Amino acid sequence: ILGVKDIHADHAASHIGKAQGIVTCLRATPYHSTRQKVFLPMDICMLHGVSQEDFIRGKQEKNVRDVIYDIASQAHIHLEHVR
């Protein structure tokens, strides 16, 4: 947008965008769950034994929190790449 032509700036912007997308998805999870939709990666959910139904019912057990933590950790990794 600002006319910056730098490969490092492009790389940083890419990671920032990925982190923002992950955080937006996590923040929207309660909203989507009330509408019977879950947009979280099912491979991570299955790793922790969590189903879409667990999110839709609003369960807050440790395994559900672990899913959220793992996904949020991916956003954190992208921010670390930017730094």
Side-chain angles (χ1 to χ4, degrees):
I1 293 173
L2 298 174
V4 175
K5 306 260 191 253
D6 179 29
I7 190 79
H8 299 295
D10 290 345
H11 188 74
S14 173
H15 282 290
I16 289 172
K18 290 173 186 171
Q20 180 64 39
I22 293 168
V23 169
T24 299
C25 183
L26 285 175
R27 290 182 64 208
T29 296
Y31 170 82
H32 291 298
S33 294
T34 62
R35 283 145 183 82
Q36 312 296 308
K37 300 199 182 299
V38 178
F39 297 108
L40 300 176
M42 284 297 109
D43 58 334
I44 296 175
C45 292
M46 289 183 344
L47 181 69
H48 293 285
V50 176
S51 68
Q52 289 182 345
E53 193 66 30
D54 292 332
F55 285 101
I56 291 169
R57 290 186 180 167
K59 290 187 177 180
Q60 299 201 7
E61 297 168 354
K62 183 182 182 321
N63 57 346
V64 173
R65 291 192 309 268
D66 289 343
V67 169
I68 299 299
Y69 180 84
D70 281 359
I71 296 170
S73 294
Q74 291 301 312
H76 185 263
I77 289 169
H78 286 294
L79 289 178
E80 288 299 314
H81 284 297
V82 172
R83 289 185 184 130

